[in-house]
Amino acid sequence: MQESLLLEARNRAYELVTKKYQNSGHENRLAHIYGVAKMAIMLAKRYNVNELKAEIAGLMHDYYKYETEEEMANYIADQTLVDECKKTTPLFHAYASAKACYELVIKDKEIYEAIKCHVYGKPKMTMLDKIIVISDYTEETREYRSCVLCRDVLLNIGIDSAIWYSTKCIINMLENKKIMPNKDQYEILKIYEVEMKMEMLKKIKDNIDKVKGYDVICYDMKGVSPLFDYMFIVTIDSPRQADALATYIKEDYEALGINLRAIEGKGSSWVLMDCKDIIIHIFTREEREHYSLEKLYMEMPRVEL
């Protein structure tokens, strides 16, 4: 789509939401909307998504936030969608806002779908979908503890880990209130647990680079070990570097609310970390050559990071 059309649409979206919410008694909602748009732009730059599409979706995602369910149902019109909304009522404003954006701002299917699924996402999301879902949860005016912690996960680990974390928090909140989550939320949690593990593999490699570790191998142990899915072997030059690496990794897992099973050998030439699904062996060169773990796993597939 031409950039000029998107620029016009962005300006129209700003005008619409500002006119709707300024002096409406819902000024906090306008601040939230601006915050979502701001976060969406930042994430679009990071993940190579069209910034204007992300901004438009962020601006329009809550356009129909305060209408009655009856008004939104009449506006949505599609009975199948209305029936879905009746089962999960927060979907009313998402579906109505998506339609409003499509009719009043720009006829763009990607933007429409991103707004439509922004409440909790869906099992198969585009990067634009992910950006709007997580921007809604983590923009700067969100001061709930779970939102603040999720923002740290988003900025320091990655978007897939943040979606897993936010989905887990929302499901826990609903269950504590004796409210049944939508079935898609459980599926999303399961899907993004896998994606979170992949981001953690990359983050572990980043931490290894930070302490100047080398000769890194990551084995895919799925289907072989019932206890864990991946295993790292890495060489460092001193026990001090090994302890620093273990600390960095532990902090990343704690940010996700995950407690490690064990860290053994701190201060020695072989530190073993049991991160539940990931095992990490941190050796000095002499210790690694002595035990030669690679000989035990030479037939195992490796993960390229």
Side-chain angles (χ1 to χ4, degrees), residues 163-179:
I163 290 173
W164 173 81
Y165 184 88
S166 63
T167 302
K168 184 179 73 166
C169 290
I170 292 169
I171 288 174
N172 288 342
M173 177 196 70
L174 292 173
E175 290 178 339
N176 287 337
K177 292 182 176 181
K178 309 300 182 186
I179 299 171

Side-chain angles (χ1 to χ4, degrees), residues 240-270:
R240 181 178 57 81
Q241 286 174 295
D243 288 351
L245 176 55
T247 298
Y248 290 143
I249 294 170
K250 182 173 181 286
E251 288 173 350
D252 287 336
Y253 273 98
E254 287 176 343
L256 287 166
I258 300 174
N259 294 319
L260 305 189
R261 284 201 183 104
I263 303 177
E264 299 179 1
K266 290 194 75 172
S268 72
S269 54
W270 179 6

Side-chain angles (χ1 to χ4, degrees), residues 135-305:
S135 294
D136 184 39
Y137 197 78
T138 61
E139 60 85 13
E140 61 189 7
T141 73
R142 293 289 204 193
E143 296 179 347
Y144 301 108
R145 175 173 166 77
S146 62
C147 296
V148 172
L149 293 175
C150 188
R151 186 158 58 240
D152 289 340
V153 171
L154 172 64
L155 299 178
N156 295 318
I157 299 177
I159 194 166
D160 290 336
S161 297
I163 290 173
W164 173 81
Y165 184 88
S166 63
T167 302
K168 184 179 73 166
C169 290
I170 292 169
I171 288 174
N172 288 342
M173 177 196 70
L174 292 173
E175 290 178 339
N176 287 337
K177 292 182 176 181
K178 309 300 182 186
I179 299 171
M180 178 61 68
N182 186 287
K183 60 182 176 60
D184 279 353
Q185 289 174 280
Y186 290 110
E187 186 175 353
I188 292 164
L189 185 66
K190 185 176 180 180
I191 290 169
Y192 281 89
E193 182 175 1
V194 175
E195 300 302 324
M196 176 269 290
K197 290 177 188 176
M198 294 309 298
E199 280 192 336
M200 287 306 297
L201 294 180
K202 296 172 185 176
K203 185 64 176 176
I204 289 167
K205 178 60 167 58
D206 289 343
N207 286 327
I208 291 169
D209 293 341
K210 190 188 298 186
V211 301
K212 300 188 181 341
Y214 52 97
D215 292 344
V216 182
I217 302 175
C218 180
Y219 294 104
D220 186 338
M221 305 294 289
K222 295 191 298 294
V224 177
S225 171
L227 301 178
F228 54 92
D229 293 335
Y230 302 97
M231 184 177 73
F232 275 92
I233 301 176
V234 57
T235 301
I236 41 78
D237 287 327
S238 71
R240 181 178 57 81
Q241 286 174 295
D243 288 351
L245 176 55
T247 298
Y248 290 143
I249 294 170
K250 182 173 181 286
E251 288 173 350
D252 287 336
Y253 273 98
E254 287 176 343
L256 287 166
I258 300 174
N259 294 319
L260 305 189
R261 284 201 183 104
I263 303 177
E264 299 179 1
K266 290 194 75 172
S268 72
S269 54
W270 179 6
V271 176
L272 172 62
M273 301 188 69
D274 184 345
C275 306
K276 295 188 177 179
D277 293 314
I278 303 172
I279 297 293
I280 307 169
H281 296 277
I282 309 170
F283 289 107
T284 59
R285 176 169 292 281
E286 295 78 11
E287 201 78 352
R288 181 167 177 173
E289 290 175 353
H290 175 73
Y291 286 99
S292 297
L293 290 186
E294 292 94 322
K295 292 180 180 178
L296 296 175
Y297 301 105
M298 58 190 306
E299 301 299 326
M300 295 301 304
R302 298 187 183 191
V303 180
E304 295 300 328
L305 298 173

Side-chain angles (χ1 to χ4, degrees), residues 25-71:
H26 298 297
E27 286 78 11
N28 287 344
R29 179 59 50 179
L30 185 59
H32 166 70
I33 287 169
Y34 288 162
V36 172
K38 180 180 176 181
M39 178 65 85
I41 293 169
M42 186 274 287
L43 293 175
K45 290 178 181 177
R46 176 179 290 193
Y47 292 102
N48 197 28
V49 169
N50 187 291
E51 294 171 37
L52 286 170
K53 288 192 176 189
E55 186 175 10
I56 293 165
L59 288 168
M60 292 297 293
H61 81 286
D62 273 353
Y63 189 73
Y64 258 82
K65 182 69 176 177
Y66 295 109
E67 281 71 14
T68 67
E69 289 180 9
E70 183 179 2
E71 288 172 321

